[in-house]
Amino acid sequence: MNIIIALIPAVCWGIFPLIASKTGGGPANQILGTGLGATLVGLIVFAIMHPTITASAFIWAFMAGACWTIGQIGQFISMKPERMGVTTTMPISAGFQLVGNSLIGMLFLGNWSGTTAKIIGLVALAIVVVGVILTAVTDDNKSESASVKDVLFLLVTTIGYWIYSSFPNLPAVRHVSPTALYLPEMLGILCGALIFVFATRETSALTARESWAGMIGGAIWGIAAFAYIFSAQENGTSSAFIYTQLSVVISTLGGMLFLHERKTSRELGFTLAGLVLLVVGSVITGFI
């Protein structure tokens, strides 16, 4: 049963970008649909579990959710076919998240205590970086400069993911029940989505069919986020995190199979090799 719980986030987060791409629309539609769907799940969870949360913890959780939208918007923009597509965006994004979160944990949160742990961790991150480089290999030489620009854009927006991931370790919320933080995070995501919609003057997204269809993907993401709470409790944080890395494989291969994103045989070989290294690096960091 514990394995099934652990696989729910992996599968849901793996198919989330595929559904978001299939429902159509631009990044404004996708992030708004995600915020609406995730908030719906958050409201249902709150109504069933009735968690108690302080005003301070609510504010911190809300801000963390809003920061998450920065990373997700960057991912949605990068997933567009004219930029990098799902099959390239997802493994690179996963690599950036793993490296950034691990370094933040080591430098500021006391993770990887001891010289041996730090050496093993840095070697694992080096493996992940090589994996990211391999998944970014392209045979389209004329778009090489654009690819570098797109990768840098994805890196900068990933800062939002880093903040969101580091949030549970803040002293202000470290001892607060994860279920209590869940709805405020989802509300923060919805607020961040609305800010993006109005800032980009994409207000037509508020009534667009694609935005409301995007609630399906948002609900799936929200279910995965909630299931991860229980996976971490039942399987331990390290094991739960390792299972979630299967989502990268699902989304990347799914992009080729269901979104029909084309890769040359050489690009495919590098992508598969990169995925293997990403998973290996993730497993190593999970056991430190």
Side-chain angles (χ1 to χ4, degrees):
M1 188 64 181
N2 290 353
I3 294 178
I4 294 176
I5 294 174
L7 289 176
I8 291 174
V11 173
C12 290
W13 280 333
I15 64 176
F16 166 65
L18 307 179
I19 293 176
S21 296
K22 277 293 188 180
T23 52
N29 303 105
Q30 292 171 324
I31 194 62
L32 181 59
T34 300
L36 290 169
T39 300
L40 177 61
V41 175
L43 289 170
I44 293 173
V45 169
F46 185 84
I48 294 174
M49 305 193 73
H50 302 290
T52 301
I53 182 172
T54 64
S56 174
F58 183 97
I59 293 172
W60 281 109
F62 184 90
M63 292 174 60
C67 287
W68 179 89
T69 60
I70 298 173
Q72 191 57 52
I73 290 168
Q75 200 175 88
F76 280 146
I77 293 174
S78 300
M79 281 164 44
K80 295 168 65 175
E82 62 269 25
R83 296 191 68 130
M84 294 195 294
V86 173
T87 57
T88 300
T89 297
M90 296 311 296
I92 293 177
S93 177
F96 285 160
Q97 291 177 61
L98 178 62
V99 171
N101 292 337
S102 298
L103 290 177
I104 290 172
M106 181 184 71
L107 296 174
F108 303 108
L109 302 177
N111 297 344
W112 298 355
S113 57
T115 303
T116 301
K118 286 182 172 61
I119 292 174
I120 295 174
L122 292 174
V123 169
L125 294 185
I127 293 173
V128 170
V129 170
V130 174
V132 168
I133 293 172
L134 292 180
T135 59
V137 169
T138 175
D139 289 335
D140 189 1
N141 294 326
K142 66 178 180 294
S143 66
E144 184 175 356
S145 59
S147 296
V148 172
K149 180 181 67 176
D150 292 340
V151 170
L152 289 176
F153 170 79
L154 185 60
L155 174 61
V156 171
T157 54
T158 300
I159 293 173
Y161 282 143
W162 295 344
I163 296 173
Y164 174 79
S165 299
S166 302
F167 150 76
N169 292 301
L170 293 176
V173 298
R174 187 175 296 166
H175 302 296
V176 178
S177 167
T179 56
L181 299 174
Y182 184 70
L183 178 59
E185 287 180 348
M186 301 305 105
L187 291 173
I189 289 172
L190 179 58
C191 182
L194 289 171
I195 290 173
F196 178 76
V197 167
F198 284 103
T200 57
R201 299 182 180 178
E202 298 273 358
T203 52
S204 60
L206 296 172
T207 56
R209 178 188 62 82
E210 292 85 355
S211 300
W212 296 102
M215 287 182 66
I216 299 172
I220 289 175
W221 185 91
I223 291 170
F226 188 62
Y228 181 76
I229 294 174
F230 292 94
S231 177
Q233 291 175 342
E234 297 295 328
N235 301 298
T237 302
S238 297
S239 297
F241 176 77
I242 291 170
Y243 279 114
T244 64
Q245 299 312 292
L246 294 173
S247 65
V248 184
V249 179
I250 294 172
S251 59
T252 303
L253 298 181
M256 290 184 277
L257 292 173
F258 300 109
L259 302 181
H260 307 294
E261 295 185 356
R262 305 296 181 186
K263 284 186 177 290
T264 66
S265 57
R266 177 174 175 271
E267 290 173 339
L268 179 60
F270 278 115
T271 296
L272 294 177
L275 286 176
V276 171
L277 292 180
L278 281 171
V279 173
V280 169
S282 300
V283 170
I284 294 174
T285 59
F287 281 114
I288 297 176

